[in-house]
Amino acid sequence: MNQAESFRRRARKLITFANGLLAIARELEGYSVRSEWGLPDAQAPVADRAMSEDHPYWLELARRAYADRRRRAKYFDISLFGEPAWDILLDLFIAAKEGRKVSVTSACIGAAVPSTTALRWIIVLENEELVSREDDPKDARRAFLHLTTKAYSQMIEYLSTMVPAASNECEELFV
């Protein structure tokens, strides 16, 4: 293995570690916000906090967005809705929030397109520096994908725009 590949591998491990730390920090932040308000999880007024910050609500919004995309396939021809890059980003964001790894194969399946199409989109996402790849140290045939910090921040910014302005509407979303 050359030095450049060694640096890339170390960088991927650091990104994985950073995503794990972010998940812990988000969870702790959620607890502190809820305790500041003296409310259980779903009752903290979302609109009264800065929307661009990372909160546990973003995981729920991402899960719903992903589930909505899968549900459409029950009613419409799936070929009408081809956004594999978005499906991959949603899947990786959810995985980061849940602290789990997503293999390239799993990301391809989650994109709901042929694997060759998903692989092309993964390369595009890597070139855009939105996704990074980490080799599995236990199985040389497998690699994991992660959102970069850039993509993670962009997902937070995007998801924050999905929350209604009125806090009572936000509470209804997460009940």
Side-chain angles (χ1 to χ4, degrees):
M1 172 183 335
N2 63 29
Q3 189 174 16
E5 180 58 34
S6 175
F7 286 146
R8 276 193 291 278
R9 179 171 285 170
R10 291 162 85 192
R12 289 179 196 133
K13 286 182 181 180
L14 282 172
I15 289 168
T16 302
F17 183 68
N19 282 338
L21 287 175
L22 282 170
I24 293 168
R26 286 187 299 278
E27 186 176 332
L28 292 173
E29 180 186 43
Y31 290 134
S32 67
V33 167
R34 289 186 297 274
S35 65
E36 285 172 22
W37 286 93
L39 300 170
D41 295 6
Q43 294 179 346
V46 177
D48 293 341
R49 297 189 302 260
M51 287 292 96
S52 62
E53 293 178 10
D54 197 353
H55 293 286
Y57 300 113
W58 308 155
L59 173 58
E60 182 61 26
L61 284 173
R63 281 182 179 151
R64 288 181 183 200
Y66 190 82
D68 286 345
R69 295 178 59 70
R70 300 287 72 79
R71 191 170 37 257
R72 292 185 309 191
K74 292 180 183 177
Y75 305 100
F76 301 99
D77 181 355
I78 192 73
S79 67
L80 294 172
F81 309 107
E83 293 182 273
W86 183 238
D87 288 331
I88 292 166
L89 291 174
L90 281 170
D91 189 22
L92 293 176
F93 179 80
I94 293 166
K97 294 289 277 179
E98 293 175 343
R100 62 181 171 79
K101 292 184 175 186
V102 176
S103 68
V104 172
T105 303
S106 177
C108 290
I109 293 167
V113 293
S115 59
T116 53
T117 302
L119 289 168
R120 280 194 301 274
W121 279 105
I122 288 169
I123 291 168
V124 169
L125 292 170
E126 285 178 308
N127 290 339
E128 292 293 319
E129 298 179 352
L130 297 172
V131 170
S132 65
R133 197 182 294 241
E134 170 195 2
D135 294 330
D136 184 346
K138 298 176 184 172
D139 186 347
R141 298 168 296 172
R142 183 168 54 182
F144 297 105
L145 296 176
H146 307 277
L147 288 180
T148 62
T149 52
K150 169 187 169 182
Y152 189 88
S153 295
Q154 289 174 319
M155 291 296 290
I156 294 297
E157 287 180 39
Y158 171 78
L159 291 168
S160 71
T161 66
M162 295 174 61
V163 178
S167 63
N168 58 353
E169 291 178 55
C170 293
E171 290 174 18
E172 291 172 15
L173 275 175
F174 301 105
V175 174

